[in-house]
Amino acid sequence: MPPSEVAGQTGKAPRVGLFATCLVDLFRPQTGFAAAKLIEAAGARVEVPERQTCCGQPAYNSGDRADAAAIARQVVAAFEGFDYVVVPSGSCAATISRHYPALLADDPSYAHRARALAEKTFELTAFLYDVMGMREVKASFSGAVTYHDSCSGLRELTVRKQPRALLASVDGLTLKEMKDADVCCGFGGAFCVKYPDVSNAIVAKKVAAIEDSRAETLLAGDIGCLMNMAGKLKREGKNVKARHVAEVLADMGDEPAIGEGQ
Amino acid sequence: MSLSITSPAFKENAALALADVDLQQALTHVERGFIEKRRKAAEALPEFEALRDEARAIKEHTLAHLDLYLEAFEAKAQHAGAEVHFAETAEDARQAVLAICRRAKARTVTKGKSMISEEIGLNDFLEENDIAPVETDLGEYIIQLRGEPPSHIIAPAVHVTRNQVEQEFRRAHAGLDPERDLSEPVSLLAEARAALREKFLAADIGITGANFLIAETGSSVIVTNEGNGDLTQILPRVHIVLASIEKLVPTLEDVSTLLRVLARSATGQDMSVYTTFSTGPRRPGDPDGPEETHIVILDNGRAEMLAGELREMLRCIRCGACMNHCPVYHAIGGHAYGATYVGPMGAVLAPALFGLEKTANLPNASTFCGRCEAVCPVRIPLPKLMRHWREREYERHLKPAAERGGLKFWAFLAKRPGLYRLATRLGLAALSRFGRQDSYASLPFAGGWTRHRDLPAPAAKSFLDQWKASR
Amino acid sequence: MSAASESERRRAAVIGKVRRALADDGNGDARRAAVEERLSRPRPNLVPARGQLTGEARLALFAEMAEKVSASVERVASAEELPEAVASYLRARNLPSELRMGADPRLKALPWDRASHLEIKHGPSDGRDLAAISHAFGGVAETGTLFLLSGQENPTSLNFLPEHHLVVLAAQDIAGDYEALWARLRAAEGDAGLPRTVNLVTGPSRSADIEQTLLLGAHGPRALHILLLGEG
Ligand code: SF4
């Protein structure tokens, strides 16, 4: 999509439905506020529809296709009236944009609506950078950060350069890449509670890579992964703070980090 | 005789694997070695991504016409003098091999690497029938001595350290000088080469697998680096090829395309050392080569996969890239999967071959990180196919009741936004009343999470409620 | 049931299952025609640019790729010089002056008496030879791969049993890609189909089965020496 087409040509700010995700809603409200602030800074109007719960991934990935489809229909109905749907999570954005069309393909009254919604649903940093053409933010953050590429955002939506490009415009921030930033953190939704020992082995390697980067703050674009890594960092007594990348981009990097009291 | 499937004990297997110091040391070689080599090989060939698309298309075309290609292959192979044996089940395949061995009065059989042989549990079966199988691929030889199945489809002994190999050779090779230095891989290789050379020359029958069967020519193709697969088939009087129906490929040109992605994806080589096309038995006047060639073509559940979305799995060319890039495989290795085929490809294939009841853990034990699909040379959507099995598991009520119940309860709420708001509001308030903390080291019902990590505390008030209040 | 009819039943069962599973893949005649077409007129798929070089560039790529996989490549201007090249290869490695070969007329016709003391043995290998020589059908520049054919004159065992495998490859027989050699082979063999064994050999034998440490000379030759004859 050409940058800023809607905003630029019609002269009217596009209407964005913010899909907060269930984890942001319950565990990390400030990520939601940061996302809203950034969307507005990029020149769009934000609304947060009340009829949102979850994208349905827990059901979808557990094999409960019927419930996943029911939830998908609900999301389609709640969000199809917006110009864009923006999600501060690569994995929930990918569920809507990459999986809903397949999930609802056999439903005659929803198939085309799911495809239409998929077309206009974006992960937050991809929306800011690719759709709205945002190239810099007004924010400052002192210290070194490292960025973890969450799997779905990276491999299903090719989110990689967008968060890094925007971070580069934050005053005072330096990015120290960790080794294997693109390797899974071991979260995997239900996986991490179903196979806790295996998940732990994976997140332990991730935490070692984070520590080796010598950054003081860990950023990522998915609260699920962040809670996993933050929880492990904390358990191991590591002094690294974890935040959603939106918070730093929205100049809200001085609020308490994940697991630090709010 | 039945192959032992230990997948139901996946969690216990995994816990043992995580605690196994030797295994953990050996696994570091997978994570570093294979990934880097594949990346370099792929980057060095500008057409690599386009070749992956072509490889995928070749396999798709072949599978969509598989009945016809099987018939065409059979006719050509017979014309070249080979005998073709179709086997519906593992038992059929074992019996076919045994009948050939009996007719040839075989006592010893050398073997090139074959996953089909593992799938049908051939070695144990031959031994029960007084025929001695000798694995000749170095990795297979090592695990045969150790009495283990392979832990990787192309590097069967990747879980074994050099010290363990030395111990095994000292135990098994009678007459090995105790003073001899075997501390380095090079001396271990020399020892194995010498021990196996005798076996090659003495064997009555040689059994190999097949990477491809070519319909155009009736040839079977093996791809190896050591040369053992070739010695296995040219020295004994009888050559048996073990293959499965999805190995079919139309033409020599099509095989050439697949070869361009196979080795690069597997070991990062541009081409494996030996790619051997075998067509029938030796010809009149040939100075060497087998006098008889038999090709066993196994179904064992694959035909049924053709009918639905699992057809995509039959594109697999067994390169091993998916497991080489899998964080779960890196953590626990192959044996924990407990079902011959391991890693992401095993998680999709094993339920089809051995039944979902026994193997349901495997498609669940994935984070869906998608790295397997990103490197698969024939672009198999492995996470999607693992999800396929999770859906069958759910439909057939194979999930533990507590898990299903929890999921149902959550979905019940998620489908009712009003109720969901209310419930989460109450839940967050209740948690606050417990005494707020920044994060929890343990919480009831969250044991899976808090065993190894803290749980960051939920918010006092949800984002949606706060948003509403702020506007 | 007799063994023959039992195997007939299994065949019908497997192919029948496959056919039923493919029932949705459409009309029988169109499918048959597609298969017929593909098999009777084999066509190359995408060939990488590096497989399409010509002349000296092709030769240079062949040598580069072969050396990359630890083969050695020696250019020899004329067939008359081959015996001495072989003898000096053996001398340089302190190997006995013994060489095994098949009955390939191109090799037989060489003036072996020019290399003094070279003892030539004919026929397949018994597993004790240190060195053997073969003549390649062709080479592929793309990956430095040799095509070796079995036949009355070319025992396949020579490619695998000796410690040192020497292969004569005429420079003009080097193709850019595999596809060109398959086409040449089809033309040469006609209706006879492929020889029993076609070995595509890319470097000497190796294994990385012990701790991913790459070692040469697993079961096959430790060394592959390519004698590249003449000009492209
Ligand atoms: S699924 Fe793909 S990556 Fe895995 S072994 Fe098969 S072909 Fe290779």
Side-chain angles (χ1 to χ4, degrees), chain B residues 153 313 316-322 345 372 375-378 380 382:
Chain B
I153 60 169
M313 190 62 220
C316 176
I317 55 173
R318 305 286 189 271
C319 72
C322 53
M345 60 83 73
C372 48
V375 296
C376 174
V378 284
I380 298 173
L382 292 150

